[in-house]
């Protein structure tokens, strides 16, 4: 019974996400994702694919995404969808936060 209630709630949350024209996932990979979380994130990205805009910020190269998801194949499938119509912006240089830190 609990699982069905969780699934119903999840379906509602995914439907709410689906109404947005833009999804932003900030600091992707900062924390590892368990397999259930990875599946959910895959579902969100797959649903957004060719339907809405997605901004994803990360410090991780694509080759390390498998460690975040715990599955190289799932990471490859997500990367495939992201890069198909995506643009990669690579920023280099000193961190804004470090440059403007109060502690020097």
């Amino acid at each position: 019974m609990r699982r069905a209630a969780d699934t119903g709630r999840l379906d509602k949350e995914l439907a709410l996400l689906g109404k947005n024209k833009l999804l932003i996932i900030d600091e992707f990979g900062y924390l590892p994702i368990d397999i259930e979380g990875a599946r959910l994130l895959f579902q969100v990205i797959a649903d957004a694919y060719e339907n809405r805009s997605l901004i994803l910020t990360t410090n991780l190269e694509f080759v390390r995404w498998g460690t975040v998801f715990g599955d190289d194949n799932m990471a490859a499938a997500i990367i495939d969808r992201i890069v198909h119509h995506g643009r990669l912006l690579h920023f280099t240089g000193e961190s804004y936060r470090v440059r403007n830190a109060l502690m020097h």
Side-chain angles (χ1 to χ4, degrees):
M1 186 71 149
R2 173 83 174 144
R3 186 92 165 146
D6 289 345
T7 301
R9 181 172 170 235
L10 175 61
D11 289 342
K12 288 178 184 176
E13 292 295 328
L14 290 173
L16 284 173
L17 282 174
K19 291 181 180 181
N20 293 291
K21 292 181 181 180
L22 171 66
L23 297 175
I24 301 172
I25 301 171
D26 191 26
E27 295 193 19
F28 170 79
Y30 183 71
L31 297 173
I33 304 170
D34 65 14
I35 193 65
E36 189 63 28
R39 288 182 183 139
L40 293 173
L41 182 56
F42 177 84
Q43 191 173 352
V44 168
I45 292 172
D47 182 57
Y49 176 64
E50 295 191 330
N51 292 310
R52 65 193 52 83
S53 298
L54 174 68
I55 296 175
L56 197 140
T57 68
T58 184
N59 291 331
L60 296 177
E61 303 86 12
F62 288 139
V63 297
R64 295 181 48 206
W65 282 28
T67 61
V68 176
F69 287 101
D71 183 322
D72 289 338
N73 291 329
M74 191 179 308
I78 289 174
I79 292 166
D80 184 61
R81 283 162 176 77
I82 291 171
V83 301
H84 181 224
H85 296 297
R87 303 291 183 266
L88 177 65
L89 302 176
H90 184 231
F91 297 97
T92 60
E94 185 181 16
S95 161
Y96 171 83
R97 291 182 186 113
V98 170
R99 185 170 19 116
N100 294 292
L102 298 176
M103 299 171 60
H104 290 281

